[in-house]
Amino acid sequence: MNIEAYQKILAKVNSYNATLVAVSKTKPNEDLEALYHQGQRVFGENKVQEMCNKHESLSGNYQWHMIGHLQRNKVKYMANFVSLVHGVDSLQLLKELNKQGAKNERVISCLLQVHIAKETTKFGFNYAEVEELISNNALIELCNVEIIGLMGMATNTDDSGQVRSEFKKLNSFFENCRSTMANSVFNVLSMGMSGDYEMALDEGSNMVRIGSLIFGDRNYDN
Ligand SMILES: *Cc1c(COP(=O)(O)O)cnc(C)c1O
């Protein structure tokens, strides 16, 4: 847990008018509380069960972002409180989020995850699929979800030119989507993690997801 690093990162992120998601997966409640005490409200988790446990055991105005791959059968456990779902990667998942949003009489904010990395292991739509989805009339009927932007993860590589070009491409695609969408809530571009957030901000990100630089290394990765 590194408060100094947090403050430095926050100042940088604020200077871009971006949002810092503190990625607290695998970390104990005390670490989240220490950051909450510093004024941080937005926390990112990648496991539904862990996020629910933290939500139930921590009091305050925590805003919970689900940043990981989400299984449809788990949506119901977090539908009443999740504040943003970053990893929407199928229409079926969006429909389930809509159904659970309706049950809870709320609108769930979502980002479409775009596969921008070279690795085949990362989830997400390709660009053509996103274009098809956002022009799809089926979306209009989904009144209990709101697509407010895009999320992407760059290739895990030392080749910074590769990473930069992936961010650039996602940003220009995002700008295109934004201008074609009548819907003015489409405003969030979630890209950048501990290793690449400064480059992501330079390339147009307005939401970064940072874990290890703030909380220290995780014992296991997931
Ligand atoms: C874990 C995770 C992060 C944060 O990674 P760090 O390298 O620790 O900053 C960001 N985004 C997603 C989707 C993650 O799963």
Side-chain angles (χ1 to χ4, degrees), residues 21-25 44-46 66-69 86-87 113 151-153 190 192-197 208-218 221-222:
V21 179
V23 176
S24 49
K25 61 190 186 194
E45 292 284 337
N46 71 338
M66 173 43 60
I67 62 169
H69 180 64
H86 289 235
Q113 181 168 356
M151 181 272 226
M153 283 169 91
S190 168
M193 316 183 6
S194 288
D196 55 22
Y197 80 100
V208 293
R209 310 173 309 270
I210 300 184
S212 41
L213 277 186
I214 298 172
F215 293 106
D217 287 340
R218 290 175 294 274
D221 220 303
N222 43 21

Side-chain angles (χ1 to χ4, degrees), residues 86-98:
H86 289 235
V88 175
D89 60 359
S90 72
L91 182 56
Q92 292 100 303
L93 176 58
L94 200 59
K95 285 181 174 168
E96 178 62 16
L97 284 156
N98 184 64

Side-chain angles (χ1 to χ4, degrees), residues 21-195:
V21 179
V23 176
S24 49
K25 61 190 186 194
T26 79
K27 298 298 172 182
N29 280 2
E30 302 83 79
D31 285 7
L32 283 78
E33 284 175 308
L35 218 57
Y36 187 91
H37 186 70
Q38 296 290 317
Q40 181 66 28
R41 293 295 177 267
V42 181
F43 292 84
E45 292 284 337
N46 71 338
K47 295 258 164 38
V48 173
Q49 183 66 57
E50 183 177 348
M51 186 173 79
C52 289
N53 290 344
K54 286 173 174 170
H55 166 68
E56 277 160 31
S57 56
L58 288 163
S59 57
N61 285 316
Y62 287 81
Q63 292 170 36
W64 297 104
H65 287 200
M66 173 43 60
I67 62 169
H69 180 64
L70 179 57
Q71 289 169 329
R72 269 181 282 163
N73 61 354
K74 304 255 173 83
V75 170
K76 57 181 176 286
Y77 302 115
M78 54 165 220
N80 65 327
F81 72 90
V82 68
S83 90
L84 181 60
V85 179
H86 289 235
V88 175
D89 60 359
S90 72
L91 182 56
Q92 292 100 303
L93 176 58
L94 200 59
K95 285 181 174 168
E96 178 62 16
L97 284 156
N98 184 64
K99 181 176 152 193
Q100 298 300 333
K103 274 194 185 162
N104 289 280
E105 297 178 352
R106 63 186 294 248
V107 177
I108 300 177
S109 295
C110 298
L111 305 178
L112 300 178
Q113 181 168 356
V114 190
H115 181 104
I116 62 171
K118 280 182 161 172
E119 294 106 340
T120 52
T121 53
K122 285 175 185 156
F123 297 98
F125 294 106
N126 62 40
Y127 286 113
E129 289 168 333
V130 174
E131 272 171 353
E132 196 191 306
L133 184 63
I134 62 178
S135 59
N136 187 335
N137 286 327
L139 282 192
I140 299 168
E141 287 162 30
L142 305 181
C143 300
N144 293 90
V145 285
E146 191 166 60
I147 298 171
I148 67 165
L150 303 177
M151 181 272 226
M153 283 169 91
T155 304
N156 186 4
T157 172
D158 292 335
D159 181 354
S160 61
Q162 173 70 25
V163 173
R164 190 178 290 279
S165 77
E166 290 168 359
F167 285 154
K168 253 191 216 308
K169 192 168 170 199
L170 182 58
N171 181 48
S172 73
F173 181 76
F174 167 73
E175 292 299 345
N176 280 339
C177 293
R178 175 149 65 173
S179 61
T180 56
M181 260 164 104
N183 153 4
S184 65
V185 298
F186 191 90
N187 276 316
V188 177
L189 179 56
S190 168
M191 60 181 197
M193 316 183 6
S194 288

